[in-house]
Amino acid sequence: KKKGLDPMKIVGITTLDVVRANKFVGGITGKNPNYINVPVIGGHAGTTIMPVFSQDKVAATIDAEKIPDLDKHVQDAGTEVVEAKGGKGSATLSMAYAGARFGKAVLAGLAGKRRVECAYCKSDVTDLPYFAQKVAFGETGITKVFPIGELNDYEKKRLEEAKTQLKTEIETGLKYAEGTELAD
């Protein structure tokens, strides 16, 4: 905003969280993660990461009592990798895969082939100015921001938790941007 850029061309990549959610659901159900598409909304840190398991037909078959642990597993997956590497690395291959998947969707959109991915962007789907949700990429960048959709009771509670944390993070980021000279 400060630099006059089109906000629908500025996005945060949250695909890594989607890839992880799909992989973990595939592991539990025995299904191929390539055919699982769990939307992950909110943000990309801790409790702001909110997989919406009820919106994927495979994930929706998982017993409700397993969902809180699965939710936490998606949130903590990056930390788990760092700990498994003894603090000497991160999930570089999964980050590369997620980045390639996201880049492919953006490039397809720019080429006129609409693609849908989750992304963090300027949004009015909640009372927050920025939020990760499903978006459509087209020839001009983000061409549509999709509503959150139906949530079950657990997800409604988690959404409020995620928004509370995300609000603080957004305010911190906006305050930083106000007081910082941005390079040209």
Side-chain angles (χ1 to χ4, degrees), residues 45-112:
T47 59
T48 71
I49 299 169
M50 193 190 134
V52 187
F53 296 111
S54 69
Q55 291 182 10
D56 176 79
K57 66 180 187 266
V58 175
T61 66
I62 297 171
D63 292 334
E65 65 270 2
K66 293 182 180 179
I67 294 298
D69 287 340
L70 183 57
D71 181 16
K72 188 80 170 132
H73 188 37
V74 174
Q75 291 173 38
D76 294 342
T79 302
E80 291 172 9
V81 171
V82 171
E83 288 172 358
K85 290 184 168 189
K88 296 185 184 335
S90 61
T92 51
L93 290 177
S94 56
M95 284 189 274
Y97 172 78
R101 174 178 156 162
F102 185 81
K104 186 176 176 182
V106 171
L107 292 173
L110 293 172

Side-chain angles (χ1 to χ4, degrees):
K1 187 175 185 180
K2 190 173 182 178
K3 297 298 282 181
L5 301 172
D6 180 349
M8 299 320 276
K9 292 182 179 179
I10 308 296
V11 296
I13 302 172
T14 59
T15 312
L16 181 56
D17 302 316
V18 173
V19 168
R20 287 173 171 159
N22 295 345
K23 175 70 174 163
F24 299 154
V25 167
I28 290 170
T29 63
K31 303 289 184 184
N32 184 334
N34 291 325
Y35 301 103
I36 298 168
N37 195 15
V38 176
V40 180
I41 64 173
H44 179 62
T47 59
T48 71
I49 299 169
M50 193 190 134
V52 187
F53 296 111
S54 69
Q55 291 182 10
D56 176 79
K57 66 180 187 266
V58 175
T61 66
I62 297 171
D63 292 334
E65 65 270 2
K66 293 182 180 179
I67 294 298
D69 287 340
L70 183 57
D71 181 16
K72 188 80 170 132
H73 188 37
V74 174
Q75 291 173 38
D76 294 342
T79 302
E80 291 172 9
V81 171
V82 171
E83 288 172 358
K85 290 184 168 189
K88 296 185 184 335
S90 61
T92 51
L93 290 177
S94 56
M95 284 189 274
Y97 172 78
R101 174 178 156 162
F102 185 81
K104 186 176 176 182
V106 171
L107 292 173
L110 293 172
K113 299 173 185 157
R114 182 181 145 171
R115 295 291 186 265
V116 175
E117 282 288 346
C118 289
Y120 184 79
C121 62
K122 185 167 179 50
S123 172
D124 61 7
V125 301
T126 69
D127 55 336
L128 299 172
Y130 303 95
F131 198 76
Q133 68 276 295
K134 285 184 182 179
V135 300
F137 289 103
E139 293 179 18
T140 59
I142 294 175
T143 56
K144 181 173 178 129
V145 175
F146 292 95
I148 292 172
E150 292 293 318
L151 301 176
N152 62 30
D153 289 341
Y154 173 79
E155 292 162 346
K156 288 175 186 172
K157 180 178 82 84
R158 276 285 291 118
L159 177 60
E160 293 311 311
E161 290 173 10
K163 284 174 40 181
T164 298
Q165 180 62 35
L166 199 51
K167 181 179 182 192
T168 302
E169 293 176 10
I170 291 168
E171 288 170 353
T172 301
L174 292 174
K175 185 179 272 188
Y176 174 81
E178 284 175 16
T180 303
E181 185 64 33
L182 302 174
D184 288 326

